[in-house]
């Protein structure tokens, strides 16, 4: 063993600790479940009601679920469910659920302490559950990963796989409804930690690997299931427009982010002023609307407005792209940033005094009426199967159709010759040019196409918000759009949708963190760049780009150290002897 390697415990010692860890983990899971049925807090009024014995609240039910999952994984490691451990990594899954259960219980104890103004207000049930989580955490440190069968070849009957995919999507719908239904910020954070724990446990246990393989075999079923789940979501909100307003804003943000993903994720062009295209579409819809403050007398149908907005924003993309795409990198970012600010200032000055009266300057265009397509009024409450669907639910369904269209466009372009040309430009522009790729033309197409998609989303946003003003389209919004693409995974659809949901949903639900929004945003990006630079849901190409070189470099360093003649007492290269002489300096 080389001097620089961390010594490991002997195999028999590891096995002895692993044998003791199993009953310790079993005891911890039982304590976690039992403690969750007892009172956690002496004072009520927050985190649901945690003061009643044998009547667990939502936060306690989350802990019970984590404990049950830990029990199942323990029994899969050693017990009647050992066959389940043949294709799931029960040890790593147990380690993940134990870690997240500990984080979850620590957060709840801190929340009770802060809200009830004292640690003394934590009842014995909370301490029992925390002790159980800590025992699970200690036991999980000695859990040994087990050899797995190849999940790529693990197949079930097609109808069973389809049922399991449907069940996963139904579970996602239930979790989304329960999480968004929690009005209190502390409860919402606890629910987010619970969901994160489930996802990490599924990923570490190998469930995601199997699900991804089954989804690849039934891609159509997965897509339809996802849209059905999204379609059914408004029916879980009991006609409330509060959460539906957030959901509609998330969809607008996600649709715009997918358009930006064409520019950044596929073509590799850094755009820091993309929010201007969303604003352009919104202003076109506002100026052509039936508002009393509209500045254009022509009132065409909404579908005509959508086409006009797409053409206008695409032309803006061409205008900004033609002179600027001859530069790249930081210079392109500076130019697009300037374009975003120029757009905002132009909207301020088109007020009839400094220029033509198109946008009414800083006052903006307000009182924009709700959409009316055919005989359907988006501002009215409609009942479906006796369930009332309010104004925001109507816009949510329209945005769902829009984002389906945008995803279709993105997918088709990504899998086409144009998409391969964009990827070639992103990887190496000079090599792509040398191979005959029309670099400048494809860059312009990326800018124009992404701008048109953002403009279409802006037309719906104007009617949903009922007003348009320059202050809505500042640089910070462009930064958050770019962060959604980077956070979720550049060049992917699911990743960008997830990143947009996280960055739009969390600030809306965590109002008490509003003053620290930028701080949390910065820390999140730093953590992501350190541990997962390819994004939450990354393509195989991006994973190889970020990690293959690191692994090969590590292997190279390891081989060099293995072949060197460093001894245990040496602290430098051969011949240096730790001195500061010429040889040591040269090394």
């Amino acid at each position: 063993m080389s001097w620089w390697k961390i010594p490991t415990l002997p195999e028999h010692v590891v096995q002895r600790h692993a044998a003791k860890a199993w009953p310790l983990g079993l005891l911890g899971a039982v304590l976690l479940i039992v403690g969750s049925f007892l009172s956690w807090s002496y004072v009520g009024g927050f985190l649901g009601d945690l003061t009643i014995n044998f009547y667990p609240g939502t936060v306690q039910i989350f802990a019970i679920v984590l404990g049950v999952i830990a029990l199942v994984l323990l029994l899969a490691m050693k017990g009647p469910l050992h066959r389940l451990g043949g294709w799931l990594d029960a040890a790593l899954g147990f380690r993940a659920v134990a870690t997240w259960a500990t984080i979850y219980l620590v957060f709840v104890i801190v929340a009770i302490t802060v809200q009830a103004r004292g640690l003394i207000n934590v009842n014995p049930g909370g301490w029992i559950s925390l002790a159980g989580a800590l025992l699970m955490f200690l036991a999980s440190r000695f859990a040994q990963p087990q050899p797995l069968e190849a999940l790529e070849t693990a197949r079930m009957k097609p109808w069973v796989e389809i049922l399991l995919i449907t069940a996963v999507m139904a579970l996602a719908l239930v979790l989304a409804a329960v999480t968004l239904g929690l009005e209190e910020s502390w409860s919402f954070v606890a629910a987010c930690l619970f969901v994160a724990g489930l996802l990490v446990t599924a990923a570490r246990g190998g469930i995601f690997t199997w699900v991804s393989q089954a989804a690849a075999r039934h891609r159509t079923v997965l897509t339809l299931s996802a849209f059905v789940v999204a379609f059914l979501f408004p029916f879980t909100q009991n006609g409330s427009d509060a959460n539906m307003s957030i959901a509609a804003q998330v969809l607008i943000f996600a649709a715009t982010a997918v358009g930006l993903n064409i520019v950044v994720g596929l073509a590799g062009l850094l755009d820091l002023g993309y929010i201007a295209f969303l604003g352009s579409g919104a202003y076109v819809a506002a100026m052509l609307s039936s508002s009393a403050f509209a500045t254009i007398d022509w009132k065409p149908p909404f579908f005509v407005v959508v086409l006009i907005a797409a053409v206008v924003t695409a032309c803006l993309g061409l205008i900004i792209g033609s002179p600027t795409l001859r530069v790249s990198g930081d210079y392109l970012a500076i130019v697009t940033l300037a374009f975003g600010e120029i757009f905002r200032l132009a909207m301020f000055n088109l007020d009839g005094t400094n220029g033509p009266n198109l946008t009414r300057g800083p006052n903006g265009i307000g009182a924009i009426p709700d959409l009316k397509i055919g005989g359907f009024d988006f501002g009215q409450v409609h009942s479906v199967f006796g369930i009332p669907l309010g104004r925001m639910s109507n816009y949510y369904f329209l945005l769902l159709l829009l984002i389906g269209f945008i995803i279709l466009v993105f997918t088709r372009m990504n899998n086409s010759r144009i998409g391969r040309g964009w990827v070639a430009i992103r990887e190496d522009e000079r090599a792509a040019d040398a191979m005959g790729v029309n670099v400048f033309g494809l860059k312009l197409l990326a800018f124009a196409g992404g701008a048109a998609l953002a403009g279409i989303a802006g037309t719906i946003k104007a009617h949903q918000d009922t007003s348009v003003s320059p202050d809505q389209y500042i640089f910070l919004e462009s930064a958050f759009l770019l962060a959604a693409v980077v956070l979720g995974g550049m060049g992917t659809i699911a990743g960008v949708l997830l990143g947009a949901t996280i960055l739009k949903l969390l600030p809306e639900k965590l109002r008490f963190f509003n003053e620290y929004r930028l701080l949390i945003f910065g820390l999140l990006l730093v953590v992501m760049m350190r541990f997962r630079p390819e994004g939450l849901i990354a393509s195989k190409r991006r994973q190889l780009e970020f990690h293959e070189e690191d692994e090969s470099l590590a292997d190279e360093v390891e081989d060099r150290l293995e072949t060197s003649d460093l001894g245990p007492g040496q602290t430098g290269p051969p011949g240096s002897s730790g001195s500061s002489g010429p040889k040591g300096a040269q090394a």
Side-chain angles (χ1 to χ4, degrees):
M1 181 183 298
S2 301
W3 66 271
W4 51 271
K5 289 186 178 179
I6 300 176
T8 57
L9 295 175
E11 184 65 24
H12 68 280
V13 176
V14 174
Q15 294 296 332
R16 185 169 66 248
H17 284 302
K20 294 179 180 178
W22 189 84
L24 186 65
L26 199 65
L27 175 62
V30 172
L31 287 178
L32 174 61
I33 296 173
V34 171
S36 300
F37 281 95
L38 302 177
S39 171
W40 280 6
S41 174
Y42 181 78
V43 180
F46 55 91
L47 292 174
D49 193 351
L50 305 180
T51 62
I52 305 176
N53 289 319
F54 307 108
Y55 190 77
T58 303
V59 175
Q60 292 167 307
I61 292 176
F62 290 157
I64 293 174
V65 172
L66 293 176
V68 171
I69 293 175
L71 277 179
V72 171
L73 292 174
L74 283 167
L75 295 178
M77 292 168 55
K78 181 180 178 182
L81 300 179
H82 66 278
R83 294 186 62 183
L84 185 64
W87 63 280
L88 287 182
D89 196 334
L92 288 181
F94 174 66
R95 184 175 298 179
V97 73
T99 303
W100 280 96
T102 304
I103 295 173
Y104 181 83
L105 264 298
V106 169
F107 170 79
V108 172
I109 296 297
V110 171
I112 295 174
T113 303
V114 172
Q115 294 292 95
R117 300 184 183 278
L119 197 61
I120 195 173
N121 291 307
V122 180
N123 277 352
W127 295 116
I128 292 174
S129 296
L130 178 61
L134 290 174
L135 287 178
M136 287 169 48
F137 179 78
L138 291 176
S140 67
R141 299 303 95 185
F142 296 98
Q144 297 299 310
Q146 302 172 354
L148 300 179
E149 299 176 2
L151 295 182
E152 294 79 1
T153 61
R155 295 194 179 190
M156 300 180 180
K157 294 182 179 180
W159 66 270
V160 176
E161 293 183 345
I162 292 174
L163 284 179
L164 289 176
I165 292 174
T166 305
V168 170
M169 301 308 297
L171 178 62
L173 175 62
V174 172
L175 289 176
V178 171
T179 302
L180 289 178
L182 299 173
E183 300 294 338
E184 187 188 12
S185 298
W186 289 98
S187 299
F188 177 76
V189 175
C192 290
L193 290 176
F194 169 73
V195 173
L198 292 184
L199 295 177
V200 174
T201 301
R204 299 288 287 172
I207 296 177
F208 277 177
T209 303
W210 181 86
V211 170
S212 64
Q213 295 294 331
R217 293 190 290 269
H218 308 282
R219 189 177 302 275
T220 303
V221 175
L222 178 65
T223 304
L224 291 177
S225 299
F227 274 97
V228 168
V229 165
F231 178 81
L232 293 177
F233 175 74
F235 295 94
T236 66
Q237 300 303 306
N238 298 321
S240 173
D241 268 354
N243 288 331
M244 292 312 304
S245 175
I246 298 176
Q249 293 178 28
V250 168
L251 285 185
I252 289 179
F253 192 75
T256 311
V258 173
L260 178 61
N261 198 22
I262 294 178
V263 181
V264 178
L266 295 184
L269 306 174
L270 185 56
D271 189 347
L272 296 181
Y274 191 76
I275 196 66
F277 300 124
L278 180 68
S280 302
Y283 266 104
V284 169
M287 291 186 288
L288 296 176
S289 69
S290 301
S291 170
F293 302 101
T295 55
I296 297 178
D297 293 334
W298 185 38
K299 312 299 177 188
F302 177 68
F303 290 109
V304 177
V305 174
V306 169
L307 292 177
I308 294 174
V311 172
V312 169
T313 51
C315 290
L316 286 177
L318 293 176
I319 292 172
I320 185 61
S322 297
T324 60
L325 289 182
R326 302 186 185 278
V327 297
S328 61
D330 299 337
Y331 300 101
L332 178 61
I334 293 173
V335 172
T336 53
L337 172 61
F339 168 71
E341 289 301 300
I342 290 172
F343 168 80
R344 186 177 64 87
L345 295 176
M347 296 303 102
F348 270 114
N349 290 315
L350 296 179
D351 56 357
T353 302
N354 300 307
N357 186 18
L358 294 177
T359 64
R360 300 186 69 245
N363 295 323
I365 300 175
I368 301 174
D370 287 306
L371 283 174
K372 291 183 181 180
I373 301 178
F376 189 86
D377 189 350
F378 282 76
Q380 299 297 322
V381 177
H382 302 83
S383 294
V384 179
F385 303 113
I387 300 176
L389 298 175
R391 175 178 179 271
M392 286 300 173
S393 297
N394 299 330
Y395 282 104
Y396 173 86
F397 288 124
L398 180 60
L399 288 166
L400 201 58
L401 293 176
L402 171 65
I403 203 166
F405 168 74
I406 292 178
I407 290 175
L408 178 63
V409 172
F410 181 90
T411 304
R412 292 298 184 184
M413 297 187 76
N414 186 24
N415 296 330
S416 67
R417 185 177 180 180
I418 294 175
R420 292 191 292 270
W422 282 335
V423 173
I425 293 172
R426 186 192 69 193
E427 298 299 324
D428 193 325
E429 182 176 333
R430 293 184 178 180
D433 191 15
M435 295 302 295
V437 176
N438 186 358
V439 174
F440 187 73
L442 287 181
K443 282 185 176 182
L444 282 182
L445 181 60
F447 255 88
L453 295 179
I456 295 174
T459 58
I460 302 177
K461 177 177 173 58
H463 289 276
Q464 177 193 320
D465 294 344
T466 70
S467 65
V468 178
S469 64
D471 292 333
Q472 295 175 324
Y473 307 102
I474 58 178
F475 163 71
L476 188 61
E477 296 300 323
S478 292
F480 273 95
L481 282 172
L482 183 61
V485 175
V486 176
L487 176 65
M490 295 171 60
T492 64
I493 296 176
V496 173
L497 294 179
L498 178 60
T501 302
I502 292 175
L503 292 182
K504 196 66 178 179
L505 177 63
L506 293 184
E508 294 292 337
K509 295 294 289 186
L510 304 179
R511 292 291 183 178
F512 68 99
F513 281 147
N514 195 37
E515 295 181 359
Y516 307 100
R517 180 184 178 189
L518 290 180
L519 175 62
I520 298 175
F521 166 69
L523 291 176
L524 179 63
L525 288 183
V526 170
V527 171
M528 283 298 302
M529 292 301 101
R530 171 59 183 87
F531 295 102
R532 196 169 178 83
E534 68 272 21
L536 294 174
I537 303 178
S539 62
K540 294 296 183 182
R541 182 191 300 271
R542 300 293 294 177
Q543 289 179 334
L544 292 175
E545 287 177 3
F546 281 103
H547 295 290
E548 186 179 29
E549 183 179 357
D550 296 340
E551 293 177 0
S552 62
L553 179 62
D555 294 338
E556 181 182 354
V557 173
E558 182 177 354
D559 293 338
R560 289 180 179 179
L561 289 173
E562 288 285 357
T563 57
S564 65
D565 58 347
L566 285 174
Q570 291 179 295
T571 60
S576 64
S577 303
S579 65
S580 58
K583 291 185 179 180
Q586 183 179 1

